[in-house]
Amino acid sequence: MKKRILLIATGGTIASANTEDGLKPLFSSQQLIDTLPELSEFCQVDNFQLFSLDSTNISRDHWLTIARTIEERYGQYDGFVITHGTDTMAYSAAALSYLIQNSPKPIVLTGSQRPINLSTTDAKMNLLDSFRYCCDDRSSGVSIVFSGNVILGTRARKINTKSFQAFASINYPYLAVIQDNHIIRYLDQPKSTQPQFSHQLSDRVALIKLIPGITGDYLKYFLERNDALVVESFGVGGLPMLEKYGFQQAIDYAVENGKTIVMSTQVQNEGSDMTVYQVGHHLKTQKSILEAYDMTTEAVVTKLMWILATTSDFKRIKKLFYKPIAQDILARD
Ligand code: ASP
């Protein structure tokens, strides 16, 4: 029996064509499928046009709609391929990893760096690989399939703006590679029987990247308007300590007002370790402050959105934040 896969199209370069104003999503989900007659040799595909957006426009409400679209059709299909722009695909993959946990069926995001109607496109290979991965019995959970790599949904990062290898897996191995239509699997995902769907995400999460000389006022500005703030600091992590920068006032504001700060790093690989330097070490004992460790910024932001939709209690936030979900963080106990 051929597997039944639903293609959910959301736009992106893969579906884009040139206009006077630059590339814009114009091709439909049916047109994407029509370019790949060989798909019918190994699977049965239905398609659903959900959005036609450059992924720069995609945010929280779209993630909730994608998750709900999958939930409503979960029983009818063996897997889901979501075509999506590459620019925010890592955020969407992370968000879907929290909104749809322990899915025994594969949910694959893919896209391309060049539109599908160009002779030099990477779209067809990415789509074929995605469907092939979706049809394999050992596939499950949320992942990105791109340029022959399979990346866990919580571990992806866009690393190249133009070349075909757009994504890397951060602080975690690739799940598999796909070569000449063969899946070479490095890691098996734990398979559960029942997915858990969530239906809410907080919109009160912000992210700030430190630059040398920045003052604590910037943190306070974001903390006043949000429940959680992710701070991409330098290296293994820390905050400027000289009094003139005024970071302690921002931290005190967070503690007094029940806000959460997550210290992360702007360095792509190897994660944070705030115990190493005095500038980070003194933060470890401050209430309200958590640490991202090996998580991607995309996963930190969307995990906080998912957590804060259900609780405002810091103890509970901390517990959920450090609990590994879809292998987003290495267990620390
Ligand atoms: N701007 C496009 C998008 O993210 C880029 C792409 O798809 O590669 O929708």
Side-chain angles (χ1 to χ4, degrees):
M1 256 282 263
K2 284 183 195 163
K3 298 239 171 162
R4 286 195 73 183
I5 311 293
L6 180 65
L7 171 77
I8 300 172
T10 71
T13 296
I14 191 166
S16 289
N18 240 328
T19 71
E20 272 181 9
D21 309 326
L23 287 170
K24 175 178 162 184
L26 290 174
F27 300 124
S28 67
S29 51
Q30 185 61 50
Q31 284 173 304
L32 295 181
I33 293 298
D34 289 344
T35 63
L36 293 169
E38 56 271 61
L39 273 182
S40 59
E41 288 166 19
F42 63 91
C43 63
Q44 201 186 321
V45 182
D46 287 341
N47 66 83
F48 187 73
Q49 186 71 46
L50 188 57
F51 316 120
S52 252
L53 291 171
D54 189 293
S55 76
T56 305
N57 288 308
I58 285 190
S59 63
R60 194 179 58 111
D61 290 344
H62 302 99
W63 301 332
L64 291 169
T65 305
I66 297 171
R68 196 174 288 280
T69 302
I70 293 174
E71 183 175 10
E72 285 167 1
R73 294 159 181 79
Y74 200 80
Q76 299 162 43
Y77 293 96
D78 300 303
F80 300 85
V81 172
I82 302 164
T83 49
H84 192 292
T86 60
D87 290 343
T88 63
M89 190 187 291
Y91 276 100
S92 296
L96 291 172
S97 303
Y98 299 113
L99 289 173
I100 313 172
Q101 294 179 28
N102 300 314
S103 171
K105 300 182 181 179
I107 298 165
V108 170
L109 290 98
T110 196
S112 66
Q113 293 280 63
R114 302 227 180 116
I116 200 157
N117 65 339
L118 298 188
S119 59
T120 54
T121 188
D122 50 334
K124 292 181 187 173
M125 189 188 90
N126 287 343
L127 271 175
L128 270 177
D129 285 350
S130 298
F131 279 99
R132 205 166 287 282
Y133 186 74
C134 243
C135 286
D136 190 271
D137 285 335
R138 284 164 71 188
S139 302
S140 63
V142 179
S143 59
I144 288 181
V145 173
F146 212 97
S147 65
N149 295 316
V150 184
I151 303 170
L152 195 60
T154 53
R155 293 288 185 173
R157 159 71 55 91
K158 185 166 178 180
I159 54 156
N160 287 312
T161 55
K162 295 174 186 170
S163 51
F164 285 175
Q165 188 167 347
F167 292 94
S169 183
I170 304 299
N171 302 330
Y172 204 77
Y174 290 100
L175 297 182
V177 293
I178 305 173
Q179 269 173 30
D180 297 333
N181 299 332
H182 294 280
I183 299 169
I184 304 159
R185 210 173 274 273
Y186 298 147
L187 279 178
D188 265 319
Q189 291 298 91
K191 270 225 178 195
S192 79
T193 47
Q194 207 47 45
Q196 286 95 46
F197 288 92
S198 296
H199 305 107
Q200 281 175 316
L201 290 171
S202 166
D203 61 354
R204 291 178 57 81
V205 177
L207 165 66
I208 188 168
K209 178 171 180 165
L210 299 190
I211 59 166
I214 190 172
T215 55
D217 304 348
Y218 287 90
L219 262 65
K220 189 150 177 268
Y221 178 90
F222 280 104
L223 286 166
E224 280 164 358
R225 288 158 181 79
N226 294 280
D227 295 331
L229 177 62
V230 184
V231 180
E232 274 197 351
S233 71
F234 311 114
V236 286
L239 287 176
M241 280 181 84
L242 297 186
E243 222 178 297
K244 67 171 180 175
Y245 297 121
F247 275 87
Q248 192 56 51
Q249 286 91 306
I251 297 168
D252 293 343
Y253 176 83
V255 174
E256 282 153 24
N257 293 278
K259 311 280 182 173
T260 299
I261 296 174
V262 178
M263 295 298 300
S264 174
T265 174
Q266 40 193 276
V267 181
Q268 178 177 284
N269 296 315
E270 300 177 354
S272 70
D273 182 354
M274 295 218 299
T275 59
V276 178
Y277 297 99
Q278 188 192 17
V279 288
H281 197 273
H282 76 111
L283 301 172
K284 290 299 283 180
T285 49
Q286 304 250 15
K287 202 174 167 263
S288 289
I289 300 190
L290 305 176
E291 177 168 2
Y293 294 110
D294 55 295
M295 289 179 80
T296 63
T297 298
E298 291 85 342
V300 171
V301 167
T302 54
K303 190 176 198 176
L304 285 169
M305 289 177 166
W306 172 70
I307 294 171
L308 291 173
T310 60
T311 183
S312 54
D313 173 50
F314 184 72
K315 268 201 191 136
R316 178 104 186 103
I317 293 170
K318 182 174 177 179
K319 194 158 180 231
L320 281 171
F321 186 77
Y322 287 137
K323 180 177 172 215
I325 294 174
Q327 291 91 58
D328 59 350
I329 185 168
L330 299 176
R332 301 178 177 266
D333 35 40

